[in-house]
Amino acid sequence: MSLNPETTLPELRHDWTDEEIRAVHDLPFPELVYRAQSVHRRLHDPREVQLCSLLSIKTGGCPEDCKYCPQSAHYGTAVEPEGLLDLSRVLETARAARDAGSTRFCMGAAWREVRDGEELEQVLAMVRGVRALGLEACCTLGMLTAEQARRLAEAGLTAYNHNLDTGPDYYGEVITTRTYADRLATLRHVREAGITVCCGGIIGMGEDLEDRIALLGVLARLDPHPESVPVNALVRVAGTPLEKLPPVDPIDMARMVATARIVMPRSRVRLSAGRLEMTDEAQALCFLAGANSIFAGERLLTTPNPGEARDAALLAKLGMRSAPAAEG
Ligand code: SAM
Ligand code: DTB
Ligand code: SF4
């Protein structure tokens, strides 16, 4: 990373090699965090953290076989399938999230892909409703066609979340019902429709360090970079094939966050799933490493999350505050 700490802005590069990213990731920890901090402070307000709320608008019974996911119909988990929620329920939840300090509302559906017709029309109405509340709207609905992305953009969608999850070589070990190329095609449709891209992955799924680096490499070579990069620690859910894996070491999480911060300096790096198992100190370390977004609220999609009171106490203790919503 070429950086003159006092005068120049960090360079935006889209030609990072995996070797270069590995060298950054493996720096002595104090050096890594110092570099991440230096980049972070030149482009972002280090006191601010974006608060995003998640709502599962359609839960469980998913035909995909993602081995980490409690919503896959392939595995017997405690998730109770539920059809698409009513517009009024969604907007009620969005309003409550806004009143609790969130600026972005993310709606997730356990679909392989979006179906045209009634389903898409209902989601478009939700997006319009969420935007009308003054919130940024994000969706994660599975694969999208170019035309569906265009319609979501027209409805005012701010961001679309579609994770690559892991590196290309490990992907097939975790997901067999769709390919890396399918994921990249949806990301292209989202980008071409003018919606911002939210794309990241999960660590702790049994992957090697090379796979984590390869994921960061694919993300860092996208041009433009994803505006949001969620870094999830696997939530080990009973009934899924990955339930018995060991927990993620918080230092590994901080290294992923710091490396993402350095290679994608302008992006929001979101400390995503897995915060419930992290101490305040571990989360603070991730903020120091350049994380500037979290999921707020009691739940992620189907699993628990720290919730408003605990997060408010954490941010107060750290002297940090909620970032304002983006304009427009
Ligand atoms: N069905 C759509 C899809 O897969 O694109 C959208 C919803 S899906 C649940 C959204 C993302 O949640 C996944 O891509 C994955 O990265 C993340 N996720 C799912 N289960 C998880 C778990 N147990 N731990 C961490 N992240 C998880
Ligand atoms: C993301 O990267 N993580 C969120 C959001 N994007 C959609 C989802 C995490 C899901 C964790 C498991 C669950 O709650 O079902
Ligand atoms: Fe379905 Fe998404 Fe879960 Fe995969 S990650 S099983 S596509 S809900």
Side-chain angles (χ1 to χ4, degrees):
M1 179 84 220
S2 63
L3 177 79
N4 175 336
E6 298 311 324
T7 55
T8 53
L9 287 180
E11 198 189 346
L12 265 189
R13 287 181 48 193
H14 303 278
D15 62 352
W16 286 96
T17 65
D18 288 2
E19 291 69 31
E20 287 176 302
I21 297 174
R22 175 75 194 251
V24 170
H25 179 278
D26 290 355
L27 281 168
F29 194 72
E31 182 69 18
L32 174 65
V33 173
Y34 171 73
R35 291 219 203 165
Q37 272 275 306
S38 308
V39 168
H40 188 69
R41 302 175 68 90
R42 296 201 63 78
L43 290 165
H44 306 270
D45 183 333
R47 290 168 297 189
E48 286 187 349
V49 59
Q50 176 193 43
L51 302 185
C52 307
S53 274
L54 273 171
L55 175 66
S56 181
I57 58 169
K58 186 271 166 187
T59 305
C62 183
E64 300 288 84
D65 83 334
C66 314
K67 292 191 176 43
Y68 49 76
C69 187
Q71 303 198 68
S72 168
H74 296 257
Y75 315 117
T77 70
V79 167
E80 291 276 348
E82 199 177 351
L84 191 59
L85 297 183
D86 283 348
L87 177 62
S88 58
R89 265 265 310 274
V90 172
L91 296 186
E92 213 173 283
T93 313
R95 185 188 301 273
R98 182 195 65 183
D99 294 346
S102 283
T103 56
R104 174 173 288 192
F105 191 69
C106 308
M107 295 165 276
W111 287 328
R112 169 179 165 77
E113 62 213 327
V114 175
R115 276 200 307 235
D116 286 325
E118 193 45 35
E119 240 168 42
L120 177 59
E121 299 306 321
Q122 288 192 48
V123 173
L124 294 172
M126 292 173 193
V127 170
R128 286 189 288 265
V130 168
R131 297 293 284 135
L133 289 168
L135 286 157
E136 297 175 13
C138 176
C139 282
T140 181
L141 313 167
M143 295 186 275
L144 286 185
T145 64
E147 175 61 14
Q148 289 168 340
R150 201 190 57 69
R151 297 222 40 218
L152 285 162
E154 207 174 68
L157 190 70
T158 313
Y160 195 81
N161 166 251
H162 202 63
N163 290 337
L164 287 168
D165 287 337
T166 188
D169 292 346
Y170 196 64
Y171 190 83
E173 302 290 320
V174 183
I175 300 144
T176 56
T177 47
R178 50 169 155 68
T179 64
Y180 220 69
D182 290 332
R183 294 301 267 188
L184 289 166
T186 291
L187 291 170
R188 209 163 40 243
H189 297 153
V190 169
R191 177 60 74 201
E192 283 168 6
I195 301 167
T196 70
V197 170
C198 172
C199 183
I202 307 175
I203 66 171
M205 301 194 295
E207 72 285 347
D208 290 335
L209 183 50
E210 275 72 27
D211 300 309
R212 296 181 187 177
I213 301 298
L215 166 67
L216 290 174
V218 174
L219 296 172
R221 287 187 292 274
L222 292 174
D223 187 4
H225 292 149
E227 284 78 1
S228 304
V229 179
V231 179
N232 295 275
L234 175 71
V235 181
R236 297 160 301 152
V237 179
T240 63
L242 304 185
E243 74 168 298
K244 297 268 158 52
L245 285 177
V248 168
D249 181 336
I251 302 291
D252 288 355
M253 201 66 178
R255 279 196 182 273
M256 274 304 276
V257 165
T259 310
R261 167 54 61 227
I262 292 166
V263 300
M264 293 171 280
R266 282 189 192 277
S267 305
R268 273 204 186 275
V269 178
R270 184 170 308 120
L271 181 58
S272 302
R275 286 197 306 117
L276 200 58
E277 289 192 47
M278 295 173 78
T279 61
D280 286 357
E281 299 90 305
Q283 295 184 62
L285 196 56
C286 289
F287 295 137
L288 286 176
N292 59 354
S293 177
I294 55 173
F295 286 120
E298 304 287 333
R299 326 205 106 245
L300 294 166
L301 290 171
T302 66
T303 64
N305 193 48
E308 197 190 329
R310 192 176 149 191
D311 282 340
L314 175 63
L315 294 189
K317 192 153 67 166
L318 300 176
M320 295 177 72
R321 59 181 188 222
S322 168
E327 300 288 318

PDB file of all heavy atoms in Angstrom, residues 30 127 134 158 174 191 205 220 236 242 285 288 301 304 308 314 326:
ATOM      1  N   PRO A  30       0.383  -5.159  15.089  1.00  0.00           N
ATOM      2  CA  PRO A  30       0.393  -3.704  15.329  1.00  0.00           C
ATOM      3  C   PRO A  30       0.594  -2.904  14.042  1.00  0.00           C
ATOM      4  O   PRO A  30       0.002  -1.846  13.854  1.00  0.00           O
ATOM      5  CB  PRO A  30       1.580  -3.503  16.282  1.00  0.00           C
ATOM      6  CG  PRO A  30       1.841  -4.847  16.879  1.00  0.00           C
ATOM      7  CD  PRO A  30       1.436  -5.855  15.854  1.00  0.00           C
ATOM      8  N   VAL A 127     -39.634  -1.686  -0.921  1.00  0.00           N
ATOM      9  CA  VAL A 127     -38.497  -0.776  -1.146  1.00  0.00           C
ATOM     10  C   VAL A 127     -38.987   0.668  -1.171  1.00  0.00           C
ATOM     11  O   VAL A 127     -38.431   1.549  -0.502  1.00  0.00           O
ATOM     12  CB  VAL A 127     -37.769  -1.131  -2.472  1.00  0.00           C
ATOM     13  CG1 VAL A 127     -36.749  -0.059  -2.842  1.00  0.00           C
ATOM     14  CG2 VAL A 127     -37.104  -2.499  -2.362  1.00  0.00           C
ATOM     15  N   GLY A 134     -37.427   7.532   4.915  1.00  0.00           N
ATOM     16  CA  GLY A 134     -36.152   8.250   5.044  1.00  0.00           C
ATOM     17  C   GLY A 134     -34.979   7.317   5.316  1.00  0.00           C
ATOM     18  O   GLY A 134     -33.900   7.762   5.698  1.00  0.00           O
ATOM     19  N   THR A 158     -31.282   1.309  -2.527  1.00  0.00           N
ATOM     20  CA  THR A 158     -29.971   1.917  -2.305  1.00  0.00           C
ATOM     21  C   THR A 158     -28.857   0.905  -2.576  1.00  0.00           C
ATOM     22  O   THR A 158     -27.841   1.236  -3.187  1.00  0.00           O
ATOM     23  CB  THR A 158     -29.840   2.377  -0.827  1.00  0.00           C
ATOM     24  OG1 THR A 158     -31.034   3.087  -0.454  1.00  0.00           O
ATOM     25  CG2 THR A 158     -28.618   3.244  -0.623  1.00  0.00           C
ATOM     26  N   VAL A 174     -18.886 -25.600  -0.146  1.00  0.00           N
ATOM     27  CA  VAL A 174     -19.914 -25.036   0.733  1.00  0.00           C
ATOM     28  C   VAL A 174     -21.270 -24.953   0.033  1.00  0.00           C
ATOM     29  O   VAL A 174     -22.317 -25.114   0.665  1.00  0.00           O
ATOM     30  CB  VAL A 174     -19.480 -23.625   1.220  1.00  0.00           C
ATOM     31  CG1 VAL A 174     -20.484 -23.036   2.185  1.00  0.00           C
ATOM     32  CG2 VAL A 174     -18.109 -23.674   1.865  1.00  0.00           C
ATOM     33  N   ARG A 191     -24.712  -3.642 -10.355  1.00  0.00           N
ATOM     34  CA  ARG A 191     -23.834  -2.501 -10.662  1.00  0.00           C
ATOM     35  C   ARG A 191     -24.354  -1.749 -11.877  1.00  0.00           C
ATOM     36  O   ARG A 191     -24.461  -0.524 -11.868  1.00  0.00           O
ATOM     37  CB  ARG A 191     -22.411  -3.031 -10.878  1.00  0.00           C
ATOM     38  CG  ARG A 191     -21.382  -2.018 -11.266  1.00  0.00           C
ATOM     39  CD  ARG A 191     -21.199  -0.930 -10.239  1.00  0.00           C
ATOM     40  NE  ARG A 191     -20.473  -1.353  -9.054  1.00  0.00           N
ATOM     41  CZ  ARG A 191     -20.543  -0.703  -7.885  1.00  0.00           C
ATOM     42  NH1 ARG A 191     -21.341   0.352  -7.731  1.00  0.00           N
ATOM     43  NH2 ARG A 191     -19.832  -1.096  -6.852  1.00  0.00           N
ATOM     44  N   MET A 205     -15.648 -21.245   8.057  1.00  0.00           N
ATOM     45  CA  MET A 205     -16.394 -22.359   7.432  1.00  0.00           C
ATOM     46  C   MET A 205     -15.472 -23.537   7.113  1.00  0.00           C
ATOM     47  O   MET A 205     -15.841 -24.403   6.320  1.00  0.00           O
ATOM     48  CB  MET A 205     -17.082 -21.881   6.157  1.00  0.00           C
ATOM     49  CG  MET A 205     -18.070 -20.739   6.395  1.00  0.00           C
ATOM     50  SD  MET A 205     -19.134 -20.466   4.973  1.00  0.00           S
ATOM     51  CE  MET A 205     -17.937 -19.941   3.742  1.00  0.00           C
ATOM     52  N   ALA A 220     -11.438  -7.027  -4.158  1.00  0.00           N
ATOM     53  CA  ALA A 220     -10.569  -5.854  -4.357  1.00  0.00           C
ATOM     54  C   ALA A 220     -10.273  -5.611  -5.832  1.00  0.00           C
ATOM     55  O   ALA A 220      -9.865  -4.509  -6.207  1.00  0.00           O
ATOM     56  CB  ALA A 220      -9.266  -6.032  -3.578  1.00  0.00           C
ATOM     57  N   ARG A 236     -22.800 -20.753  13.908  1.00  0.00           N
ATOM     58  CA  ARG A 236     -22.858 -22.215  13.806  1.00  0.00           C
ATOM     59  C   ARG A 236     -24.218 -22.705  14.290  1.00  0.00           C
ATOM     60  O   ARG A 236     -24.477 -22.754  15.496  1.00  0.00           O
ATOM     61  CB  ARG A 236     -21.706 -22.804  14.615  1.00  0.00           C
ATOM     62  CG  ARG A 236     -20.344 -22.380  14.024  1.00  0.00           C
ATOM     63  CD  ARG A 236     -19.223 -22.520  14.998  1.00  0.00           C
ATOM     64  NE  ARG A 236     -19.438 -21.731  16.198  1.00  0.00           N
ATOM     65  CZ  ARG A 236     -18.945 -22.037  17.394  1.00  0.00           C
ATOM     66  NH1 ARG A 236     -18.220 -23.115  17.542  1.00  0.00           N
ATOM     67  NH2 ARG A 236     -19.185 -21.253  18.413  1.00  0.00           N
ATOM     68  N   LEU A 242     -22.214 -27.409   9.141  1.00  0.00           N
ATOM     69  CA  LEU A 242     -21.046 -26.728   9.698  1.00  0.00           C
ATOM     70  C   LEU A 242     -21.179 -26.461  11.205  1.00  0.00           C
ATOM     71  O   LEU A 242     -20.354 -25.778  11.791  1.00  0.00           O
ATOM     72  CB  LEU A 242     -20.796 -25.401   8.951  1.00  0.00           C
ATOM     73  CG  LEU A 242     -20.628 -25.506   7.428  1.00  0.00           C
ATOM     74  CD1 LEU A 242     -20.269 -24.139   6.828  1.00  0.00           C
ATOM     75  CD2 LEU A 242     -19.548 -26.521   7.044  1.00  0.00           C
ATOM     76  N   LEU A 285     -11.632  -3.729  18.836  1.00  0.00           N
ATOM     77  CA  LEU A 285     -10.447  -3.996  18.013  1.00  0.00           C
ATOM     78  C   LEU A 285     -10.819  -3.951  16.525  1.00  0.00           C
ATOM     79  O   LEU A 285     -10.076  -3.415  15.704  1.00  0.00           O
ATOM     80  CB  LEU A 285      -9.895  -5.377  18.393  1.00  0.00           C
ATOM     81  CG  LEU A 285      -8.488  -5.718  17.956  1.00  0.00           C
ATOM     82  CD1 LEU A 285      -7.494  -4.675  18.452  1.00  0.00           C
ATOM     83  CD2 LEU A 285      -8.115  -7.097  18.510  1.00  0.00           C
ATOM     84  N   LEU A 288     -11.141  -0.453  15.492  1.00  0.00           N
ATOM     85  CA  LEU A 288      -9.788   0.100  15.308  1.00  0.00           C
ATOM     86  C   LEU A 288      -9.184  -0.381  13.993  1.00  0.00           C
ATOM     87  O   LEU A 288      -8.400   0.323  13.363  1.00  0.00           O
ATOM     88  CB  LEU A 288      -8.854  -0.334  16.448  1.00  0.00           C
ATOM     89  CG  LEU A 288      -9.056   0.330  17.795  1.00  0.00           C
ATOM     90  CD1 LEU A 288      -8.127  -0.292  18.829  1.00  0.00           C
ATOM     91  CD2 LEU A 288      -8.779   1.827  17.681  1.00  0.00           C
ATOM     92  N   LEU A 301     -30.981 -12.481  10.482  1.00  0.00           N
ATOM     93  CA  LEU A 301     -32.157 -12.938   9.738  1.00  0.00           C
ATOM     94  C   LEU A 301     -32.958 -13.918  10.596  1.00  0.00           C
ATOM     95  O   LEU A 301     -34.132 -13.687  10.900  1.00  0.00           O
ATOM     96  CB  LEU A 301     -31.735 -13.569   8.404  1.00  0.00           C
ATOM     97  CG  LEU A 301     -31.186 -12.565   7.382  1.00  0.00           C
ATOM     98  CD1 LEU A 301     -30.596 -13.280   6.170  1.00  0.00           C
ATOM     99  CD2 LEU A 301     -32.269 -11.588   6.910  1.00  0.00           C
ATOM    100  N   PRO A 304     -29.913 -14.696  16.715  1.00  0.00           N
ATOM    101  CA  PRO A 304     -29.856 -13.496  17.557  1.00  0.00           C
ATOM    102  C   PRO A 304     -28.622 -12.627  17.331  1.00  0.00           C
ATOM    103  O   PRO A 304     -27.584 -13.102  16.851  1.00  0.00           O
ATOM    104  CB  PRO A 304     -29.878 -14.053  18.980  1.00  0.00           C
ATOM    105  CG  PRO A 304     -29.652 -15.511  18.886  1.00  0.00           C
ATOM    106  CD  PRO A 304     -29.781 -15.948  17.482  1.00  0.00           C
ATOM    107  N   GLU A 308     -30.295  -3.490  20.732  1.00  0.00           N
ATOM    108  CA  GLU A 308     -30.121  -2.034  20.853  1.00  0.00           C
ATOM    109  C   GLU A 308     -29.400  -1.600  22.128  1.00  0.00           C
ATOM    110  O   GLU A 308     -28.461  -0.799  22.083  1.00  0.00           O
ATOM    111  CB  GLU A 308     -31.515  -1.393  20.808  1.00  0.00           C
ATOM    112  CG  GLU A 308     -31.504   0.072  20.530  1.00  0.00           C
ATOM    113  CD  GLU A 308     -32.886   0.678  20.740  1.00  0.00           C
ATOM    114  OE1 GLU A 308     -33.898  -0.033  20.527  1.00  0.00           O
ATOM    115  OE2 GLU A 308     -32.950   1.844  21.125  1.00  0.00           O
ATOM    116  N   LEU A 314     -22.151  -0.086  24.174  1.00  0.00           N
ATOM    117  CA  LEU A 314     -20.816  -0.265  23.573  1.00  0.00           C
ATOM    118  C   LEU A 314     -20.366   1.023  22.879  1.00  0.00           C
ATOM    119  O   LEU A 314     -19.248   1.510  23.097  1.00  0.00           O
ATOM    120  CB  LEU A 314     -20.845  -1.439  22.582  1.00  0.00           C
ATOM    121  CG  LEU A 314     -19.566  -1.674  21.779  1.00  0.00           C
ATOM    122  CD1 LEU A 314     -18.391  -2.034  22.698  1.00  0.00           C
ATOM    123  CD2 LEU A 314     -19.766  -2.793  20.740  1.00  0.00           C
ATOM    124  N   ALA A 326     -26.981   8.130   3.900  1.00  0.00           N
ATOM    125  CA  ALA A 326     -26.485   8.772   2.678  1.00  0.00           C
ATOM    126  C   ALA A 326     -27.601   9.644   2.099  1.00  0.00           C
ATOM    127  O   ALA A 326     -28.780   9.358   2.283  1.00  0.00           O
ATOM    128  CB  ALA A 326     -26.071   7.716   1.675  1.00  0.00           C
TER     129      ALA A 326
END
